[in-house]
């Protein structure tokens, strides 16, 4: 790896060691290295499917079977993938005290399976479902975890018999205000945020790093491409998440994970 990256890794490690409250914000790029397609980019899911047909309340109201069929496919894909080195590195950094919390835009559970304990999901979780009528939100029932196809009868709410839907934030829906406020509070009290694999264009998630910046904290951006966040970042590593964390963990002498 070029010498310039070695210097950058040194800087990142110094910033981690000096930080009192560092957090991480992750986006689709980190999970892409586990084989989960991103939504934007040349291999993105939205290049194959129209979001208004699959991931909106209107779509579910119009054709819940079609939406569930797509989510069954997506759940099978996501649940069959494993955490990669970057997920494991972030969990190790939490375990060793360098990182206090992970905020993720991803709906997969790869951070948790890698060992991260303090994770906030801005856009919901594929491992949960909720009632279309708003009754409950529960863990994905065991008979739906290993879907090869959706059953003829769509999953029903045990409380009101209304339809269950994936507990993720769809286009046109607002984020859970409690989740959003928790993320903003974490960002404001943090002195360092690592922004990993996010396009930094989806609001309000894209505002999280700037809250840390406005509070006097620093931003480390890890992304192969420039983003709208790049001009505000103190360090930008133009690397994939895995390559970046390999360098960081080696410099920290924590690379045996």
């Amino acid at each position: 790896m070029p010498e310039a990256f070695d210097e950058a890794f040194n800087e990142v490690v110094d910033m981690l060691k000096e930080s009192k409250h560092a957090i991480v914000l992750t986006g689709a790029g980190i999970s892409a290295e586990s084989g989960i397609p991103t939504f934007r980019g040349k291999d993105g899911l939205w290049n194959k499917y129209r979001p208004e047909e699959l991931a909106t309340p209107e779509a579910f109201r119009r054709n819940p079977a079609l939406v569930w069929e797509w989510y069954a496919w997506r759940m099978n894909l996501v649940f069959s993938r494993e955490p990669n080195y970057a997920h494991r590195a972030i969990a190790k950094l939490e375990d060793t005290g360098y990182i206090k919390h992970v905020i993720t835009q991803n709906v997969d559970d790869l951070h948790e399976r890698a060992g991260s304990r303090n994770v906030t999901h801005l856009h919901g979780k594929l491992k949960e479902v909720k009632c279309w009528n708003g009754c409950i939100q529960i863990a994905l029932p065991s008979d739906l975890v290993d879907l090869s196809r959706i059953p003829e009868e769509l999953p029903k709410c045990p409380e009101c018999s209304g339809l269950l839907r994936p507990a993720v934030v769809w286009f046109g829906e607002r984020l859970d205000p409690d989740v959003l406020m928790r993320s903003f509070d974490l960002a404001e009290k943090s002195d360092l945020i690592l922004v990993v694999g996010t396009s930094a264009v989806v609001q309000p998630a894209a505002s999280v790093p700037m809250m840390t910046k406005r509070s006097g904290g620093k931003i480390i951006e890890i992304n192969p491409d420039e983003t709208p966040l790049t001009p505000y970042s103190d360090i930008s590593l133009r690397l994939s998440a895995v390559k970046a964390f390999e360098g960081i963990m080696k410099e920290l002498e924590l690379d045996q994970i």
Side-chain angles (χ1 to χ4, degrees), residues 53-178:
E53 293 177 354
L54 300 168
T56 67
E58 293 76 21
F60 191 78
R61 190 180 294 110
R62 183 171 58 247
N63 193 340
L66 174 64
V67 173
W68 258 117
E69 185 177 357
W70 184 67
Y71 272 97
W73 167 81
R74 192 175 174 211
M75 287 172 178
N76 272 310
L77 172 71
V78 169
F79 300 156
S80 68
R81 299 303 190 258
E82 297 297 327
N84 60 51
Y85 186 94
H87 292 108
R88 298 195 302 275
I90 290 170
K92 183 71 172 181
L93 290 173
E94 180 187 341
D95 189 52
T96 51
Y98 286 106
I99 296 296
K100 304 303 182 186
H101 204 99
V102 178
I103 303 170
T104 185
Q105 296 170 257
N106 300 330
V107 297
D108 60 59
D109 63 340
L110 294 178
H111 281 299
E112 288 88 345
R113 283 197 272 144
S116 289
R117 298 180 301 278
N118 299 308
V119 184
T120 294
H121 286 262
L122 277 170
H123 296 152
K125 303 178 184 180
L126 273 181
K127 275 287 181 75
E128 294 182 358
V129 291
K130 61 183 181 180
C131 177
W132 175 253
N133 297 323
C135 290
I136 57 170
Q137 182 164 323
I138 57 175
L140 189 69
S142 58
D143 61 332
L144 295 179
V145 171
D146 297 315
L147 288 169
S148 56
R149 63 181 183 84
I150 204 67
E152 288 185 11
E153 185 173 352
L154 298 178
K156 299 285 184 65
C157 172
E159 298 291 330
C160 72
S161 297
L163 289 177
L164 289 173
R165 51 157 284 184
V168 298
V169 179
W170 282 335
F171 289 93
E173 292 184 321
R174 293 184 176 182
L175 275 63
D176 182 317
D178 292 334

Side-chain angles (χ1 to χ4, degrees), residues 6 49 107 139 212 246-247:
D6 291 336
Y49 303 99
V107 297
T212 298
E246 284 176 349

Side-chain angles (χ1 to χ4, degrees), residues 177-193:
D178 292 334
V179 171
L180 188 58
M181 286 307 302
R182 181 164 66 248
S183 300
F184 286 169
D185 288 344
L186 284 164
E188 287 179 343
K189 74 179 183 181
S190 296
D191 55 11
L192 178 65
I193 183 167

